[in-house]
Amino acid sequence: VEEPAWSVQLNQEIAKVKPLVPEPDSSDQLVEQACHQFSKAAAASEPPAADTREAALNKAFAWAQAVMDVTFVHESRLVENGFSDSSMYQNITSLLDSIPKVIDSIEKSWREAGDAKVGKDEEPPAVLTAWLGEELAECVHWRCGALRYMLAATHQEAKPELVTREVVDEGLFHLDLMRRVRGSREAQGGNTTENEESIEQMLAHGLWSDTHVLALAYSAELAHMGWVLLEGSKLPEADCTPGRYYTESLTRAKRYVAAVEGPLKDQGWSADKQRAAIQQLTV
């Protein structure tokens, strides 16, 4: 029986992970976890017993989890070393970025066969969430976005030429998708307390947890770096449309400040950078 196309495609993706699998080290929990997850993905590379969506889901999940764990070992070292290894950064981002792209491709083939799991017009995070679940889908977008933020934050002063539009745009794209995986919840209105209304507003902006709030903080800082480094800190003039990063930076900074000075007040969040950014942007 011919192996299904989705299985062949995932086997090719699993093979791309293998060169980055670290040598086993029982003293390093991250390394052991990475080796274990890759072993599970490799075991799943055998031709499936049946061409079913369940088989495809299981294989896709094993591959995606292996990518996440194997790249995290190298990402941790990369951050510790100040992003000195540019080739490793490219390897990591390539593998992480491949997860939503490959899942979209496989979903498209199922849709063409008349067995779509997600509606054609659904929000972008819906496909990844349908295949990997909310937790892993959020983690994928978080890692893709946060890694680019950390690269930009590390190099913004010493090597600003490395903070490219691709870095900023892709970082913002994934940090936004991370906050949209669970969707937003519109404020219900009615007889609600002031605190309940504040929480409803947070959920409407996709702020479901501390990590979601941190994603908003990172995106505000990343947009501000884009304004400073790619738009030359240019302020809008009369009858002129403001730069995209200017608008993104101001909107995100205000949203973050509203959250930490509202529902998150006295919970240890700092808005110093965002307040400073707002002051710069509204001179």
Side-chain angles (χ1 to χ4, degrees):
V1 178
E2 184 178 356
E3 186 172 3
W6 58 261
S7 182
V8 173
Q9 183 178 6
L10 285 171
N11 285 344
Q12 293 170 345
E13 297 302 325
I14 291 170
K16 293 177 184 177
V17 183
K18 188 174 182 179
L20 288 187
V21 177
E23 291 294 323
D25 182 355
S26 59
S27 66
D28 190 321
Q29 187 175 358
L30 289 180
V31 169
E32 287 296 286
Q33 176 71 9
C35 293
H36 173 68
Q37 288 299 339
F38 182 75
S39 294
K40 290 175 66 175
S45 65
E46 294 295 323
D51 184 6
T52 64
R53 179 176 283 278
E54 182 179 2
L57 286 168
N58 291 337
K59 189 165 187 170
F61 189 92
W63 159 69
Q65 190 64 67
V67 170
M68 297 294 284
D69 288 347
V70 169
T71 56
F72 190 67
V73 172
H74 297 285
E75 181 180 322
S76 300
R77 296 169 182 171
L78 188 66
V79 173
E80 289 176 4
N81 295 327
F83 288 86
S84 58
D85 188 344
S86 59
S87 62
M88 181 55 71
Y89 168 78
Q90 294 298 333
N91 288 337
I92 294 171
T93 53
S94 177
L95 285 173
L96 290 175
D97 290 349
S98 71
I99 297 177
K101 292 176 182 177
V102 170
I103 295 298
D104 279 345
S105 173
I106 296 174
E107 173 64 22
K108 183 179 179 181
S109 67
W110 282 95
R111 181 180 294 119
E112 290 172 349
D115 187 18
K117 190 173 180 66
V118 179
K120 188 176 181 179
D121 298 323
E122 290 281 351
E123 286 278 298
V127 173
L128 196 65
T129 304
W131 281 79
L132 303 182
E134 282 186 352
E135 184 176 349
L136 187 52
E138 283 183 340
C139 194
V140 169
H141 288 305
W142 165 251
R143 291 275 305 283
C144 288
L147 182 60
R148 289 176 167 96
Y149 161 79
M150 289 186 284
L151 172 79
T154 299
H155 290 314
Q156 61 177 319
E157 294 183 2
K159 297 181 180 179
E161 68 276 7
L162 296 180
V163 186
T164 63
R165 289 188 182 276
E166 186 277 337
V167 169
V168 175
D169 290 348
E170 287 296 309
L172 292 175
F173 174 74
H174 285 289
L175 289 170
D176 285 351
L177 286 186
M178 181 266 184
R179 292 188 295 111
R180 288 162 54 192
V181 165
R182 303 189 202 188
S184 61
R185 195 169 85 188
E186 297 297 330
Q188 300 299 308
N191 298 321
T192 56
T193 66
E194 182 177 347
N195 185 58
E196 288 172 336
E197 289 177 358
S198 296
I199 293 174
E200 290 286 352
Q201 287 301 316
M202 285 185 63
L203 298 183
H205 293 304
L207 303 179
W208 294 86
S209 70
D210 285 354
T211 307
H212 292 81
V213 177
L214 190 57
L216 178 58
Y218 280 6
S219 72
E221 291 182 45
L222 193 54
H224 191 259
M225 284 183 244
W227 175 64
V228 172
L229 300 176
L230 302 173
E231 292 181 348
S233 302
K234 185 177 180 181
L235 293 168
E237 300 175 358
D239 301 323
C240 290
T241 303
R244 180 165 62 88
Y245 296 127
Y246 170 89
T247 303
E248 293 278 0
S249 177
L250 186 58
T251 300
R252 294 163 190 271
K254 285 183 174 180
R255 186 171 295 166
Y256 175 79
V257 170
V260 301
E261 290 184 348
L264 298 176
K265 188 177 181 180
D266 301 324
Q267 293 190 32
W269 291 95
S270 172
D272 292 345
K273 290 182 179 179
Q274 286 73 21
R275 289 194 197 95
I278 292 171
Q279 188 172 8
Q280 280 185 296
L281 294 159
T282 55
V283 173

